[in-house]
Amino acid sequence: MTNQGIPGPKPVFFLVAAIHPREIVSAEIATRFVASLLANYGADPDVTWILDAHEVVVVPIANPDGHKLAEQGYMQRKNANTSYGGDCADPPEAGNHFGVDLNRNFAFQWGTVAKPTIGVCDQTFPGPTPASEPETRSLQALVESLYPGHTAPVVGEPVGEDTSGVLISLHSYAEKVLWPWGYTSDPPTDGPALQQLGERLAQFNGYTPQQAVRFYPTSGTIEDWAYGTLGVASYTIEIGPPPDRLNYCSGFMPPHECLDIANGVGFWGENAPALQYAARVARSPYGQPGGPQVRSVAVVSDTWPLLLTATLDGGQQPVLAAEAYIGKAPWDGGTPLALEPLDGAFDSPLEQAQLVVPWHGAPATAGTDQWVAGGGREPQNEPVLALVRGQNAAGTWGPMHAAWLSDGAGGGGDDQVFWTWLPLMLAPEEGPVYR
Ligand SMILES: [Zn+2]
């Protein structure tokens, strides 16, 4: 998904689900993510910016023949390949069934933890050879095509803030956010940066962030492969309460209502903001998550010029600057407009800032070319996107937040109050959202 009216290449967020088909909530969340982006494009400013400036690629069911068995109620984890022999349970049982664990089959450190000698019927049988399965080879080819020019990280050399791309593989159930490595307890060279984004994602869904091996050792997973061969910032999200806190939303096949329980929170409500955030930082996943978060952006006006206000959260670090771009991001040649701190100085971790937007009546300041948004939107006809970001004391710029700039009357300057709030993107308080 992307706005094809805006040429690329664009940073890519790749979401894959149901590699393990019995983990049925993963396909539901992936499908809803697609639907939510399509439904809110043109209305929600962040969603609009995500699809204007990024590519979002979703494989909602990566294991279709296995999923067919899960749809019949069988606890099928692997694919349905019966060609490697064995005398596996048929119909399938949770701990004994035909097939290859696709998330042990990827061609990176294959067989080092999940060894092919464990038995064909075992839940984590990795296949006879690396990438032996057509599903695995298709996913590897797809991901490689999405990240051209990406190369394997060199030990001791961080891949750097210019390396784009985020990959998330959805699973259930454990309430975890996991990053490479799974095959070794050694942290990767980019461990601190991977942890930084992992902890950000966990702030949204309330899950436990940790290196994958600390959950349990694995090898041949898609996230170890994608980071290990392409340097893509890669994560597993384990949706749903873990076995030690069993409730009726635990397990591989919880009731459908667990997606939306508790006034719209539930699995979808707690994970949707994390997935949006992953898309928003796909340009610089190793950099932007270290910068301030824009907690809210509002455009308030009853006359021209418009007034834009923003709340910035630097976490442990003071916010030292904030800026807005109108229509064009800095990497597209946009011109920064500095926000002013409401309390007179940028010096604390939480800052409110504002910008008097020099549009109507002051085109000489803004430059008319700034007002042409991506996709051919023009302020005379349609609202344009304002992009806001903050910088912390370490010099790191955080991810962009978008808001609509509009006078509500097609550029005619009519008096009107125009608010844009971003409730989906407000991070929850520290700690679990739902258990
Ligand atoms: Zn899984």
Side-chain angles (χ1 to χ4, degrees):
M1 294 174 287
T2 191
N3 178 351
Q4 291 186 317
I6 301 174
K10 304 174 184 180
V12 177
F13 171 46
F14 180 68
L15 181 67
V16 58
I19 282 182
H20 292 150
R22 68 190 178 190
E23 301 166 15
I24 57 172
V25 301
S26 67
E28 292 279 350
I29 296 297
T31 308
R32 281 200 182 198
F33 185 61
V34 172
S36 74
L37 293 183
L38 297 178
N40 292 306
Y41 182 81
D44 180 294
D46 267 313
V47 168
T48 305
W49 180 66
I50 285 170
L51 292 182
D52 278 354
H54 308 79
E55 276 187 45
V56 179
V57 179
V58 181
V59 177
I61 296 180
N63 185 339
D65 56 355
H67 206 272
K68 183 174 181 183
L69 290 165
E71 288 169 6
Q72 297 168 57
Y74 299 116
M75 292 295 172
Q76 182 77 19
R77 170 184 169 90
K78 302 185 289 181
N79 70 1
N81 187 348
T82 59
S83 69
Y84 301 125
D87 187 19
C88 307
D90 187 14
E93 298 169 1
N96 179 352
H97 51 259
F98 284 106
V100 171
D101 183 344
L102 298 178
N103 209 36
R104 301 292 183 276
N105 190 236
F106 282 78
F108 181 83
Q109 294 292 329
W110 175 89
T112 56
V113 175
K115 296 180 167 63
T117 52
I118 62 173
V120 171
C121 305
D122 191 278
Q123 291 180 68
T124 56
F125 176 59
T129 54
S132 58
E133 304 309 290
E135 300 93 332
T136 308
R137 291 195 297 274
S138 297
L139 285 167
Q140 289 186 176
L142 173 60
V143 173
E144 285 168 350
S145 76
L146 297 176
Y147 302 106
H150 281 54
T151 55
V154 177
V155 174
E157 292 181 21
V159 298
E161 298 181 3
D162 293 334
T163 298
S164 69
V166 177
L167 178 151
I168 291 180
S169 178
L170 295 178
H171 292 252
S172 74
Y173 54 101
E175 293 192 343
K176 303 277 190 189
V177 176
L178 306 172
W179 56 85
W181 306 114
Y183 81 95
T184 174
S185 55
D186 295 339
T189 297
D190 296 288
L194 288 165
Q195 178 174 349
Q196 182 171 261
L197 174 52
E199 289 177 347
R200 282 275 192 242
L201 299 175
Q203 283 177 349
F204 289 106
N205 59 21
Y207 296 175
T208 301
Q210 59 187 204
Q211 186 178 335
V213 70
R214 293 182 55 208
F215 185 32
Y216 49 72
T218 54
S219 59
T221 65
I222 190 171
E223 59 269 23
D224 269 13
W225 172 82
Y227 171 73
T229 62
L230 300 170
V232 175
S234 300
Y235 296 84
T236 279
I237 295 181
E238 292 271 0
I239 301 163
D244 63 355
R245 284 184 292 108
L246 274 176
N247 67 31
Y248 83 119
C249 287
S250 294
F252 291 128
M253 299 187 180
H256 188 268
E257 69 200 59
C258 294
L259 289 168
D260 298 303
I261 203 164
N263 298 319
V265 182
F267 297 154
W268 169 244
E270 64 194 16
N271 281 293
L275 297 178
Q276 274 203 22
Y277 186 87
R280 289 168 53 229
V281 301
R283 173 169 291 276
S284 182
Y286 296 105
Q288 288 175 346
Q293 296 207 66
V294 178
R295 293 287 184 187
S296 64
V297 183
V299 179
V300 191
S301 183
D302 57 3
T303 59
W304 292 101
L306 297 175
L307 180 65
L308 181 149
T309 66
T311 302
L312 299 108
D313 183 351
Q316 304 296 317
Q317 293 199 46
V319 176
L320 290 194
E323 61 186 24
Y325 292 81
I326 311 303
K328 278 186 182 175
W331 39 84
D332 296 325
T335 303
L337 302 168
L339 276 67
E340 301 293 332
L342 284 192
D343 64 1
F346 280 120
D347 54 8
S348 64
L350 199 63
E351 289 282 355
Q352 291 189 300
Q354 71 174 26
L355 169 69
V356 177
V357 181
W359 178 7
H360 198 78
T365 305
T368 51
D369 63 321
Q370 288 186 36
W371 299 98
V372 179
R377 275 189 294 276
E378 296 178 4
Q380 292 80 4
N381 305 314
E382 293 179 80
V384 297
L385 287 172
L387 306 173
V388 178
R389 66 177 183 173
Q391 186 185 42
N392 65 17
T396 303
W397 288 100
M400 292 289 188
H401 242 309
W404 291 118
L405 275 185
S406 170
D407 69 348
D414 299 41
D415 293 352
Q416 187 166 345
V417 177
F418 191 89
W419 289 88
T420 302
W421 286 107
L422 308 163
L424 254 190
M425 298 311 301
L426 296 181
E429 296 298 314
E430 204 71 34
V433 176
Y434 164 74
R435 297 294 182 196

